[in-house]
Amino acid sequence: MHNKQVTIPGWLRWVALVAVSLTMFGSYYMYDSVAYVAKDFIELLGFSQTNIGQLYTMYSIAAVIVLFFSGVFIDKYGTRVSMVLFGAICSLAGFVTAFSDNLTIILIGRFILGFGSEPLIVALTVALAKWFKGKELGFALGINLLIGRGGSYFVDRSNTWASSIYDQGWQPVLYLAAGIGLLCFLGGVIYYFIERWTQKRYVLGKAEETEKLDFKGLFKYSPSFWYVVILCLTFYSAIFPFRGFAPTFYQDAHGVSEQMAGKLNSVLIMATMFATPVIGLLIDKIGRRALMMFIGSIIILPVYLMFAYGNMSLYIPVTLMGISFSLIPAVMWPSVAYIVEESKLGTAYALMTLLQQIGVAAMAWLIGVTNDVSGASATNPEGYIPGMWIFSILGFVGLLFSFLLRRAETGPKGHGLEEPSGSK
Ligand SMILES: NCCCC[C@H](NC(=O)[C@@H](N)CCCCN)C(=O)O
């Protein structure tokens, strides 16, 4: 069609955002769903805590493998084909995870989920860049994260709103997750048609880079970039595996009910859903990004020891974790764009996600093994303490690197992290 219009109507961009975000909702729901059957896996199927950790490790191993070539694939076949393909892989993963009580099959399901989810997140980030570049990209990414984390919130509360399904055992719970996981495919298909329809009528922006890896020039990144990457690795490795073990830990070590355990996990997510976009807007105005990451790292430091030794309400450490989980991601991901030049941004994000997933894989496994070795269970709640110390040590390493980042960024070679948006 000739005479394509240059300006895409605002409503169309937001419709595309919702379609894209549905896929993330489905993917986040499935990622977290196994945490709520972990206790059944241990008590009914005889799985160990190490096996529970492996559910997350398998996801991350697949993510590391697929991230090596997904950028090239997305470049070659485009965002709409990639969204449908990776969305379909995610949806398939839900059913593979649910249909058998065999550990190997369940782990294969988790592997397939990682293989679909992480490139799906890359493809949707690239798609959003095409629609929102030069408009409200930061805010759009914030809303996307809000909807995606909505998936985590819904699964955290699922043992309340879907209690009748929980009463039937772990398998219907996983089939429910698989049903919601169909949103990955559905959202991908809806997005496919929106993008195709729009491209016939409007000039849709071109995202400049996908998150593919190019190891050439890896060592040319500044120290600040590596400080952010290490913070990303330590921070997410202290959050995602903890959330995986948390429902079982809250019940075993603090004697709360299954519903209360889900509620505690959901408070964490609910806080981040709304705080993350707000903090994003605030940081655009005041800058101080390195300082915020430093503050976020201080806040999370005592949390695991409070879980291990504290007698206070569990809402206190959960709230502190929620503040940190809002602050650091809201600031960390956009900060990379200040440190790394635009032509290398895709590689930088891919590298960051890849190292993040290596950290998550290792920690999920390590915590599971540690819990097993120290005999963590409802009859031996002290067995969870060594795992909490490992999380704390990780938090300390994160704090160290956020300090180094702040020091570098307040020096003469800073990249403008401490300045408001637009003043770089
Ligand atoms: N544009 C990148 C935003 C990443 C947000 C981040 N998600 C991840 O890091 C994913 N690689 C892992 C998601 C695992 C499932 N919840 C986030 O903070 O959620």
Side-chain angles (χ1 to χ4, degrees), residues 24 27-29 31-32 59 63 67 117-118 121-122 124-125 141 144-145 148-149 152 211 232 235-236 240 243 276 325 329-330 333 349 353 356-357 360:
M24 195 141 142
S27 143
Y28 274 37
Y29 189 103
Y31 181 85
D32 288 327
Y59 174 102
L67 280 166
S117 280
E118 289 298 318
I121 295 171
V122 172
L124 71 83
T125 308
L141 288 175
N144 167 247
L145 202 51
R149 287 190 178 166
S152 297
E211 298 182 20
C232 177
F235 177 74
Y236 279 104
F240 287 149
R243 272 181 53 77
T276 304
F325 195 26
W333 296 98
Y349 277 131
T353 307
Q356 172 207 52
Q357 290 297 324
V360 172

Side-chain angles (χ1 to χ4, degrees), residues 81 127 242 258 351:
V81 171
F242 175 78
E258 187 185 17
L351 187 63

Side-chain angles (χ1 to χ4, degrees), residues 8 41 62 65 75 79-80 92 94 202 233 300 302 421:
I8 300 173
F41 278 173
I65 294 169
D75 268 353
T79 43
R80 62 174 197 238
L92 171 72
Y202 298 93
L233 186 155
I300 203 166
S421 288

Side-chain angles (χ1 to χ4, degrees), residues 37-49 52 248 384:
V37 290
K39 216 165 157 48
D40 276 1
F41 278 173
I42 292 168
E43 288 169 5
L44 304 178
L45 302 185
F47 293 1
S48 64
Q49 295 260 2
I52 303 304
T248 311
Y384 284 102

Side-chain angles (χ1 to χ4, degrees), residues 73 77 79-91 115-116 120 184-185 188-189 192:
F73 182 93
Y77 295 101
T79 43
R80 62 174 197 238
V81 171
S82 305
M83 291 280 301
V84 174
L85 177 73
F86 293 123
I89 295 174
C90 287
S91 297
F115 203 84
L120 181 72
C184 296
F185 180 56
V189 171
Y192 179 96

